């Protein structure tokens, strides 16, 4: 959430840039030679590509160039984070390689770190000139981008080439596909099965004559199972069988489960007993 708020905080300052001159991408995720890589914010101009890494860390932060770590001091406690300059160097290299592998025009690539929390105290070694050039506060972002552009003497990229790169970025962007349960170390057996009442949040609703009935507030809802199935997709996986549907919705009849699945016009593979539905 802190990361999301940090990225959200820079949108206001990016709005000061001339819209027709900049292509702005948030959370772009691309396939490199061997691995995927994700960029918080990527700005394309006719001069260059600018990778922006947003840090929303409170307290005092110190960029340690010797041990390559970012140290946060808050409430008399120190915590070490990954050194963002190493991450940015890797992203610059990956983006450069990606442009080559996709037969796109080579362009100058640079990067900056934006500290979005206004109360954060930023510290670094007086001799570390790289940090002094790379790290800025969010309100300085528009000015920094213009300064970076003016520092480039190479010819401008043609507009059609810039549009070509932009279209390719959008086409090749891939959403992260990871298991929520694995990420937060939750066992599937810990999930409470059943359909939730949209009025009072009671769980589970009871299936009575083609309706979902809430024993607590007496609400009836024909479509309440759709929200539950959407949650199944987000929590468990993007496919479901008749047996899995019955277990998750707390119903016993295969015929009722079959009617519910058919009513949603889902794509499926397999026949009859082995049928698996795609939760598009």
């Amino acid at each position: 959430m802190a990361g999301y708020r940090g990225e959200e905080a820079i949108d206001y300052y990016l709005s000061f840039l001339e819209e027709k001159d900049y292509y702005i991408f948030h959370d772009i995720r691309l396939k490199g030679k061997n691995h995927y890589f994700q960029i918080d914010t990527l700005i394309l101009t006719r001069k260059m590509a600018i990778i922006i890494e947003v840090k929303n860390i409170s307290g005092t932060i110190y960029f340690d160039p010797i041990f390559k770590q970012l140290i946060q001091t808050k409430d008399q406690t120190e915590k070490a984070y990954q050194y963002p300059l190493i991450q940015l160097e890797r992203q610059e290299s990956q983006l450069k390689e990606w442009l080559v592998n996709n037969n796109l025009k080579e362009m100058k690539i640079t990067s900056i770190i934006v500290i979005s929390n206004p109360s954060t105290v930023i510290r670094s070694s007086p001799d570390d000139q790289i940090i002094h050039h790379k790290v800025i506060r969010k309100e300085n972002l528009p000015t920094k981008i213009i300064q970076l552009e003016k520092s480039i003497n190479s010819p401008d990229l043609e507009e059609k080439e810039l549009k070509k790169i932009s279209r390719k970025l959008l086409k090749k962007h891939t959403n992260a596909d990871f298991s929520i349960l694995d990420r937060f170390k939750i066992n599937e057996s810990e999930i409470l099965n059943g359909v939730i009442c949209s009025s009072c949040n009671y769980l589970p609703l009871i299936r009575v004559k083609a309706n979902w009935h809430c024993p607590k507030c007496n609400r009836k809802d024909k479509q309440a199972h759709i929200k539950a199935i959407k949650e199944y997709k987000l929590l468990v996986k993007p496919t479901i069988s008749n047996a899995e549907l019955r277990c998750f919705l707390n119903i016993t009849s295969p015929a009722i489960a079959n009617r519910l699945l058919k009513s949603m016009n889902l794509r499926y593979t397999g026949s009859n007993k082995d049928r698996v539905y795609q939760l598009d």
Side-chain angles (χ1 to χ4, degrees), residues 35-78:
H35 306 283
Y36 282 95
F37 64 100
Q38 185 163 328
I39 297 172
D40 280 357
T41 301
L42 174 65
I43 299 178
L44 298 185
T45 78
R46 294 181 67 179
K47 286 284 189 184
M48 66 201 310
I50 305 169
I51 297 171
I52 299 175
E53 176 72 15
V54 183
K55 293 296 179 189
N56 183 21
I57 303 176
S58 56
T60 298
I61 57 174
Y62 175 70
F63 289 86
D64 179 2
I66 298 174
F67 295 103
K68 304 298 182 185
Q69 58 186 340
L70 176 63
I71 302 171
Q72 176 196 35
T73 305
K74 184 179 179 182
D75 300 327
Q76 299 181 330
T77 301
E78 285 190 338

Side-chain angles (χ1 to χ4, degrees), residues 55 61-66 68-71 82-86 88-89 111-115 121-137 144:
K55 293 296 179 189
I61 57 174
Y62 175 70
F63 289 86
D64 179 2
I66 298 174
K68 304 298 182 185
Q69 58 186 340
L70 176 63
I71 302 171
Q82 181 183 11
Y83 202 55
L85 265 69
I86 294 176
L88 288 176
E89 286 172 5
S111 57
I112 52 178
I113 299 163
V114 177
I115 307 301
V121 177
I122 308 168
R123 293 202 171 120
S124 68
S125 168
D127 300 325
D128 194 346
Q129 293 301 313
I130 296 177
I131 289 294
H132 299 165
H133 288 296
K134 286 276 189 183
V135 180
I136 64 169
R137 292 194 178 275
K144 181 67 174 180

Side-chain angles (χ1 to χ4, degrees), residues 7-243:
E7 291 178 36
E8 192 178 41
I10 71 166
D11 287 346
Y12 170 74
Y13 296 98
L14 289 175
S15 69
F16 287 99
L17 297 172
E18 190 64 45
E19 188 175 346
K20 63 182 178 64
D21 296 331
Y22 299 91
Y23 293 79
I24 301 173
F25 303 85
H26 291 293
D27 296 316
I28 199 83
R29 185 172 180 265
L30 305 168
K31 178 70 181 296
K33 189 175 181 180
N34 299 310
H35 306 283
Y36 282 95
F37 64 100
Q38 185 163 328
I39 297 172
D40 280 357
T41 301
L42 174 65
I43 299 178
L44 298 185
T45 78
R46 294 181 67 179
K47 286 284 189 184
M48 66 201 310
I50 305 169
I51 297 171
I52 299 175
E53 176 72 15
V54 183
K55 293 296 179 189
N56 183 21
I57 303 176
S58 56
T60 298
I61 57 174
Y62 175 70
F63 289 86
D64 179 2
I66 298 174
F67 295 103
K68 304 298 182 185
Q69 58 186 340
L70 176 63
I71 302 171
Q72 176 196 35
T73 305
K74 184 179 179 182
D75 300 327
Q76 299 181 330
T77 301
E78 285 190 338
K79 183 178 180 181
Y81 291 89
Q82 181 183 11
Y83 202 55
L85 265 69
I86 294 176
Q87 180 184 351
L88 288 176
E89 286 172 5
R90 184 168 60 248
Q91 287 179 342
E92 286 182 28
S93 174
Q94 288 171 313
L95 182 58
K96 184 177 182 179
E97 184 182 68
W98 183 86
L99 290 170
V100 172
N101 291 341
N102 284 274
N103 301 312
L104 296 167
K105 194 82 172 180
E106 189 176 341
M107 62 192 309
K108 170 73 176 174
I109 301 172
T110 191
S111 57
I112 52 178
I113 299 163
V114 177
I115 307 301
S116 63
N117 192 321
S119 63
T120 302
V121 177
I122 308 168
R123 293 202 171 120
S124 68
S125 168
D127 300 325
D128 194 346
Q129 293 301 313
I130 296 177
I131 289 294
H132 299 165
H133 288 296
K134 286 276 189 183
V135 180
I136 64 169
R137 292 194 178 275
K138 61 183 179 181
E139 57 268 22
N140 297 329
L141 184 55
T143 303
K144 181 67 174 180
I145 291 170
I146 293 168
Q147 286 175 348
L148 288 170
E149 282 194 283
K150 287 181 178 178
S151 68
I152 304 298
N153 295 321
S154 58
D156 289 1
L157 207 64
E158 291 186 18
E159 184 68 23
K160 65 177 183 179
E161 285 292 343
L162 195 60
K163 287 183 177 179
K164 183 180 178 182
I165 294 171
S166 298
R167 286 195 298 269
K168 186 69 78 170
L169 282 167
L170 293 174
K171 184 179 179 181
K172 294 290 185 177
H173 166 72
T174 307
N175 288 320
D177 184 17
F178 52 78
S179 167
I180 292 291
L181 301 185
D182 290 344
R183 183 177 178 185
F184 293 102
K185 296 178 174 58
I186 299 170
N187 193 295
E188 190 177 333
S189 63
E190 295 179 72
I191 297 174
L192 299 177
N193 292 338
V195 178
I196 299 173
C197 178
S198 59
S199 292
C200 68
N201 290 325
Y202 179 84
L203 173 77
L205 299 186
I206 302 169
R207 185 78 180 172
V208 180
K209 295 182 179 179
N211 271 294
W212 294 99
H213 176 255
C214 179
K216 185 178 179 183
C217 69
N218 289 320
R219 178 184 171 86
K220 292 180 181 180
D221 188 343
K222 283 185 177 292
Q223 304 296 323
H225 59 280
I226 293 178
K227 184 173 183 237
I229 295 171
K230 286 180 179 178
E231 289 170 347
Y232 178 90
K233 177 188 176 182
L234 293 171
L235 287 168
V236 184
K237 60 181 181 177
T239 62
I240 196 166
S241 66
N242 186 299

